[in-house]
Amino acid sequence: MSDSQGNAASKALSDEELADLVASTDTGARGVSGSIGVLLAAVAFVWSLFQLWIASPLPFLAQSGLGLPVVLNNTETRSIHLAFALFLAFTAFPAPGKPRAGSLMQRLASGLIVGLALILLGLLMAGLLGSEASIGGALAGLVSEPRYFAPALALLLVCLATAEKARDRVPLLDWVLALGGAFCGAYLYLFYAALTGRPGLPTWYDLTIAGIGLVMLLEATRRSLGPPLMIVALVFLAYVFFGNSPVFPEVIQWKGASVERAMSHMYLTTEGVFGVALGVSSSFVFLFVLFGSLLDKGGAGNYFIKLAFALLGHLRGGPAKAAVLASAMTGLISGSSIANVVTTGTFTIPLMRRVGFTPERAGAVEVGSSVNGQIMPPVMGAAAFLMVEYVGISYAEVVKHAFLPAAISYIALLYLVHLEALKQQMQALPKSVVHPLKAQLLRTGIIVSSIFILAGVTYYGLRGIQALVGDVAWLPVVLILGAIYLGLIWLAARDPDLQMDDPDAKVVKLPVAGEVVRTGLYYLLPIVVLVWFLMVELKSPGLSAFWATTLMIVILLTQRPLKAFFRGTGSEIAQQSLQGVGDLVAGMIAGARNMIGIAVATAAAGIIVGTVTLTGIGQVMAEFVEFISGGSLMLILVFTALISLILGMGLPTTANYIVVSSLMAPVVVELGAANGLIVPLIAVHLFVFYYGIMADVTPPVGLASFAAAAVSGGDPIRTGFTAFFYSLRTVILPFLFIFNTDLLLIDVDLTGAILIFIKATIAMLIFAAATQGYFFARSRIWESAVLLLVAFTLFRPGYWLDQVQPPFDAIPAAQVFDAIESKPEEAQIRLRLEGPDFQNFDEIRSLTLAFDIGPPDGGAARLEAATGLALALEDGQLIALDEPLPGAPNEAQWREFDFYGDTPVTVTEVLVPAERLPKEVFYIPALLLLVLVILVQRRRATVPAF
């Protein structure tokens, strides 16, 4: 080990410090023992029970069977969900900063003095910066109604000035904030009948609670997630009140809102804090986080790590490859990239360093694989569940669209690690049992075939049972599942329970794959149940996660005593049963604590969403971004990526996704249509999702990189840059699937999906080789450039075809209907429209829109079905007879035209798909170039490529 490595290693954190790092970012750094600790654990446990109750069919059975009013609506559920989150945020997360000296009264006095000074300074600055009609006028309105904002403002100032950082106890002020936050969070539930009885007419009490509740939420956000999200929310709130100020650019100014309207919109309706994001958190996300927590407590995390090392640890650079596979599997049980890094990294990083990786490279591999765990179906990050509501598709569709890019990304990362091992001529760890190559291939073939056969038997068997017994099919299915579980537990009991090895030991013995597989096959049962309900039965994510979690609860309670029974140690059954109960309770508590930050983040992000719906800033942003980009879709995508990366430096992935998708997703879709490109909404949302995740990698604030550096002892910034370099495949993928939606399996059959997977995987492997500067040997600059060209061509051959043959033909207006009638169903057309602007009748605006033609029909009927426009030929021109009905394609763009003026809206150009060569013809020169590079590099190769 070099001196630099030795010095770096000395900076590595201990296990206790790493656990504290995860706690401070995910579950809360405050550890309280004694009766108070038991009380806080009980609150977290009850939160998990509440979420299981509302997700189950039990409330409906109790209501119908016993007549109990136990079914809660969405608003009531969200309110209780936030109440739990706020209470635990103030009790689990200490105030930031250093412990404050002095008595509570002294700190209160100083807080009030600071508060008074800030108010006076704010009024002075308002007078200096704004006119009477802008900031000054708005502040004057606030001052005239101090009863609405004074309590909240005073509370905010007291929180900032008197909060005491204490990690081993809960200070008195935090108890007050916790109880007050819980009351404000539960306000919509406690007074639901009164609030619905006077919609739009809030009382003084309602508005006061709303103001205090917002402050409580912002302070909880500051504690659990840091200042960035709180600051972003405050900026949007400032825009609500002072949107007409000259401080804001004229293009985004608006008239501003009164306190009553703003508070009512943000807190007393489901448009702001209690909006869709918090609803998804309470309905879907909690159960998936709880499911992952229970899997982890049951031992699945250790099982996945050991299995990855058993399968890949013996290969060249094996620990790094095992880290990639382990992190992909650990993504099932951890929605946090930081927790994933620390969980798998404490074992994988030391072993990676042993075979030759530097601390920074070892940490970067772990970061790249752990962060991508959030994009790997079937259980993705919390933002994926928000797509269900924002895009309006099922979670099964989200999984379908996200699967191929995620799989390609992980395969490319495995290959990238392999190339790194070849460059450094790393050695493999010794394999415990060595089999001949033919035997290994035979075993692999048998395993893969068995998986496919088992999947087919499961699918057709369950379908057959459903067809035979109908509504009571659940009973034989439960009995069969129970029998399978008992069989797998019996199989696991034949071997000792898995124990995590010491990665720093002098001799590391890789586990035997067959032995490891047997010990944890039953962990796959709840995952199979989850996938079955999600992808086959097409149930809601919440209900699917509920049944999977229910099975996991059964496993936690029974796995230990059943193993004791099958091992013949009957005297230990009682003790093992108690340990199982302890595992369940610990998993329920951990799941709730893991949800604190997510629940608070979705609630705080509701402020941003509420601002968008209240002010209309979304449409204004579309015009503003279109102006600064010059209408270029590529520039818009670059801006969106940069915004996601910048915001993601301080915001968690979920909040970042909510903010950027709310503002930018409609803009990208509109500008894509204006440029003649149909960009599916899911593609834009996945684009934002990917770049929000990449913010955990990107320096200078990439939290996952800092966590990996804490494990490896390497430099955090260098680790972050290396991780970003390793993640270039993830950076480029979103741009590729925007312009080639086949990667998202949109309108692609099974055969097409297989071909796309093969082509895209080859292209991504070539891209990885180009960026690594190594293929069969170290690459020269021209060779890397050629590999990049080949990869781009395989990903998007249509680009080169567009340069040779135009994709569309312009047709005269008189021939439009005949030309469209003869086109195939999958074809697209472009229409260029001109007409008077709806806002300024004297201005003529033009717009190009793209449409799918759709099923065969008469030319005129087919065109109207595709566009929503009723068109007629008049004097050689195509005239729009009427405004399209609501729900028509590109409805937002139609609103920009005045269809009822003296000047008609006309179609000035119609473009239909041209007859041209298949785009795949460009694969030929690309593959020839690839063969050329291979032949040249084979002459210089010094080590085998595999």
Side-chain angles (χ1 to χ4, degrees):
M1 182 182 293
S2 66
D3 293 338
S4 60
Q5 287 179 334
N7 293 335
S10 64
K11 302 175 186 176
L13 301 183
S14 65
D15 291 343
E16 292 77 11
E17 290 172 321
L18 290 173
D20 182 70
L21 173 65
V22 175
S24 62
T25 55
D26 288 339
T27 62
R30 178 177 282 154
V32 184
S33 58
S35 58
I36 299 300
V38 173
L39 172 64
L40 299 181
V43 172
F45 183 79
V46 171
W47 190 12
S48 293
L49 285 180
F50 166 75
Q51 296 291 157
L52 285 171
W53 170 263
I54 62 174
S56 72
L58 295 177
F60 298 95
L61 296 175
Q63 185 183 47
S64 59
L66 303 177
L68 298 176
V70 291
V71 176
L72 304 176
N73 59 41
N74 288 334
T75 303
E76 293 172 314
T77 300
R78 297 171 189 180
S79 180
I80 297 174
H81 182 77
L82 182 59
F84 275 112
L86 291 177
F87 180 86
L88 290 174
F90 287 112
T91 53
F93 290 87
K98 298 180 179 180
R100 296 182 180 274
S103 66
L104 177 61
M105 294 304 297
Q106 289 174 329
R107 297 198 303 272
L108 284 173
S110 64
L112 292 176
I113 292 173
V114 172
L116 180 60
L118 288 175
I119 292 174
L120 292 175
L121 179 62
L123 291 172
L124 176 62
M125 293 301 294
L128 294 175
L129 293 177
S131 65
E132 196 65 19
S134 55
I135 290 184
L139 278 176
L142 289 176
V143 173
S144 67
E145 292 290 349
R147 55 185 178 171
Y148 296 148
F149 79 94
L153 182 60
L155 176 63
L156 174 62
L157 299 174
V158 169
C159 287
L160 294 175
T162 65
E164 178 183 2
K165 181 179 181 180
R167 301 187 59 169
D168 57 351
R169 60 187 179 85
V170 182
L172 176 61
L173 179 62
D174 286 3
W175 279 116
V176 174
L177 294 176
L179 294 173
F183 175 77
C184 292
Y187 187 75
L188 266 65
Y189 166 72
L190 296 173
F191 300 94
Y192 181 77
L195 290 170
T196 53
R198 41 182 164 81
L201 299 172
T203 64
W204 165 82
Y205 187 73
D206 295 336
L207 296 173
T208 301
I209 293 298
I212 295 175
L214 283 176
V215 171
M216 291 284 192
L217 175 59
L218 293 172
E219 172 63 9
T221 303
R222 183 176 75 101
R223 291 193 180 204
S224 58
L225 303 168
L229 180 55
M230 180 192 72
I231 294 172
V232 171
L234 285 172
V235 169
F236 275 82
L237 278 176
Y239 177 72
V240 169
F241 292 114
F242 312 127
N244 58 346
S245 166
V247 172
F248 294 98
E250 184 177 354
V251 69
I252 65 171
Q253 288 181 16
W254 86 298
K255 63 181 181 179
S258 65
V259 179
E260 292 91 339
R261 185 184 177 195
M263 292 298 100
S264 178
H265 185 84
M266 291 293 181
Y267 205 85
L268 302 178
T269 69
T270 55
E271 297 293 331
V273 170
F274 297 97
V276 170
L278 188 62
V280 171
S281 176
S282 62
S283 302
F284 304 155
V285 179
F286 191 105
L287 289 174
F288 279 87
V289 171
L290 179 61
F291 174 66
S293 177
L294 295 178
L295 264 175
D296 185 43
K297 292 299 179 183
N302 185 28
Y303 174 71
F304 291 150
I305 294 173
K306 298 279 281 191
L307 181 60
F309 269 87
L311 294 174
L312 302 179
H314 64 284
L315 302 176
R316 190 186 295 267
K321 295 174 182 175
V324 174
L325 181 59
S327 294
M329 293 187 292
T330 305
L332 288 171
I333 64 176
S334 173
S336 167
S337 57
I338 297 171
N340 199 337
V341 166
V342 173
T343 300
T344 58
T346 51
F347 187 71
T348 60
I349 289 176
L351 289 178
M352 279 190 268
R353 294 190 59 192
R354 174 172 295 190
V355 298
F357 282 86
T358 64
E360 288 77 18
R361 291 183 184 276
V365 170
E366 183 59 50
V367 169
S369 52
S370 295
V371 167
N372 273 20
Q374 295 187 64
I375 66 174
M376 190 67 191
V379 181
M380 303 164 65
F385 300 103
L386 289 165
M387 291 183 202
V388 174
E389 299 295 329
Y390 288 161
V391 182
I393 60 178
S394 68
Y395 186 71
E397 287 291 308
V398 174
V399 169
K400 170 189 168 184
H401 297 318
F403 174 76
L404 190 57
I408 293 171
S409 182
Y410 264 113
I411 293 171
L413 183 57
L414 281 170
Y415 183 59
L416 185 148
V417 167
H418 176 72
L419 294 177
E420 187 70 33
L422 291 178
K423 282 197 299 183
Q424 305 298 329
Q425 297 187 2
M426 297 177 184
Q427 300 301 314
L429 294 174
K431 192 174 183 180
S432 301
V433 180
V434 179
H435 296 285
L437 179 60
K438 290 184 178 179
Q440 292 184 34
L441 294 175
L442 180 62
R443 287 162 59 92
T444 302
I446 292 174
I447 292 172
V448 172
S449 301
S450 300
I451 292 174
F452 280 104
I453 293 172
L454 185 61
V457 169
T458 301
Y459 178 81
Y460 289 107
L462 289 175
R463 285 300 191 213
I465 292 173
Q466 290 174 336
L468 286 174
V469 297
D471 293 338
V472 295
W474 62 270
L475 182 58
V477 169
V478 169
L479 293 175
I480 294 172
L481 186 63
I484 294 173
Y485 171 59
L486 289 175
L488 293 178
I489 283 287
W490 171 81
L491 188 65
R494 298 173 61 187
D495 295 298
D497 291 338
L498 294 177
Q499 301 294 327
M500 180 64 74
D501 296 328
D502 181 7
D504 296 317
K506 291 184 179 180
V507 178
V508 176
K509 183 180 179 182
L510 291 177
V512 180
E515 296 176 359
V516 174
V517 169
R518 289 197 301 266
T519 60
L521 277 175
Y522 61 92
Y523 291 128
L524 302 181
L525 291 179
I527 298 174
V528 169
V529 169
L530 177 65
V531 173
W532 176 268
F533 276 101
L534 274 178
M535 307 301 297
V536 180
E537 298 293 338
L538 299 180
K539 301 297 184 183
S540 71
L543 187 60
S544 303
F546 168 76
W547 289 118
T549 303
T550 300
L551 178 55
M552 196 60 226
I553 290 173
V554 173
I555 291 175
L556 278 171
L557 292 175
T558 60
Q559 63 171 343
R560 290 179 179 272
L562 284 175
K563 285 181 181 178
F565 173 78
F566 287 127
R567 288 168 178 165
T569 56
S571 59
E572 298 180 3
I573 291 179
Q575 179 187 355
Q576 294 297 326
S577 298
L578 289 176
Q579 289 189 20
V581 173
D583 291 340
L584 174 60
V585 173
M588 298 275 277
I589 294 171
R593 290 180 69 99
N594 285 332
M595 268 302 300
I596 298 172
I598 297 176
V600 170
T602 52
I607 297 175
I608 289 96
V609 177
T611 300
V612 173
T613 57
L614 177 63
T615 65
I617 183 64
Q619 187 61 35
V620 176
M621 279 294 295
E623 298 174 0
F624 180 63
V625 172
E626 183 178 4
F627 169 75
I628 62 175
S629 67
S632 169
L633 179 61
M634 180 58 72
L635 280 179
I636 291 295
L637 293 173
V638 172
F639 290 155
T640 303
L642 290 176
I643 291 171
S644 296
L645 289 175
I646 293 170
L647 288 179
M649 292 180 184
L651 271 61
T653 302
T654 305
N656 186 13
Y657 165 76
I658 294 171
V659 174
V660 181
S661 64
S662 299
L663 293 175
M664 300 302 296
V667 181
V668 175
V669 173
E670 291 180 19
L671 284 183
N675 284 272
L677 179 68
I678 296 179
V679 182
L681 190 57
I682 182 63
V684 185
H685 280 260
L686 283 172
F687 183 96
V688 175
F689 183 37
Y690 267 62
Y691 276 96
I693 291 171
M694 283 304 301
D696 278 350
V697 178
T698 310
V701 192
L703 296 179
S705 299
F706 275 81
V711 178
S712 69
D715 179 78
I717 301 299
R718 290 176 59 189
T719 300
F721 278 111
T722 306
F724 184 81
F725 183 71
Y726 284 169
S727 300
L728 284 177
R729 72 205 186 285
T730 310
V731 173
I732 200 69
L733 264 174
F735 284 93
L736 294 173
F737 61 59
I738 286 288
F739 292 99
N740 182 7
T741 57
D742 288 348
L743 290 172
L744 301 181
L745 302 181
I746 296 176
D747 298 327
V748 175
D749 58 18
L750 180 59
T751 303
I754 295 173
L755 292 176
I756 291 167
F757 175 75
I758 295 172
K759 291 187 295 185
T761 301
I762 294 173
M764 188 54 73
L765 295 182
I766 295 172
F767 177 82
T771 55
Q772 279 296 103
Y774 194 100
F775 195 20
F776 285 79
R778 291 188 181 272
S779 299
R780 298 188 174 100
I781 294 178
W782 72 267
E783 291 170 343
S784 294
V786 169
L787 289 176
L788 286 174
L789 180 64
V790 171
F792 176 78
T793 303
L794 293 178
F795 269 121
R796 196 165 178 247
Y799 174 82
W800 303 113
L801 184 59
D802 291 345
Q803 311 308 311
V804 178
Q805 293 178 312
F808 294 93
D809 290 331
I811 58 176
Q815 303 175 16
V816 167
F817 298 138
D818 293 335
I820 289 178
E821 185 174 2
S822 62
K823 291 297 176 183
E825 183 174 348
E826 66 276 6
Q828 294 181 353
I829 58 171
R830 294 183 181 183
L831 269 63
R832 183 170 182 83
L833 296 97
E834 285 189 1
D837 187 89
F838 184 78
Q839 302 293 334
N840 185 0
F841 301 143
D842 296 329
E843 179 182 340
I844 300 296
R845 68 178 299 116
S846 61
L847 188 65
T848 301
L849 298 175
F851 302 91
D852 290 318
I853 293 181
D857 202 345
R862 197 177 189 191
L863 184 59
E864 182 175 355
T867 64
L869 281 175
L871 298 172
L873 279 169
E874 294 183 7
D875 301 327
Q877 287 186 316
L878 274 178
I879 305 296
L881 300 178
D882 202 354
E883 181 180 9
L885 295 174
N890 298 287
E891 179 183 357
Q893 284 83 1
W894 299 134
R895 297 173 185 165
E896 300 175 6
F897 290 98
D898 177 23
F899 285 86
Y900 303 106
D902 295 333
T903 303
V905 177
T906 60
V907 178
T908 59
E909 187 178 41
V910 179
L911 301 175
V912 297
E915 299 291 338
R916 56 182 191 161
L917 293 171
K919 61 184 179 181
E920 289 77 13
V921 71
F922 286 91
Y923 289 158
I924 298 174
L927 294 176
L928 290 176
L929 287 174
L930 178 62
V931 170
L932 173 64
V933 173
I934 292 174
L935 292 176
V936 171
Q937 290 204 357
R938 284 287 296 270
R939 298 177 181 177
R940 306 197 309 269
T942 57
V943 294
F946 294 97

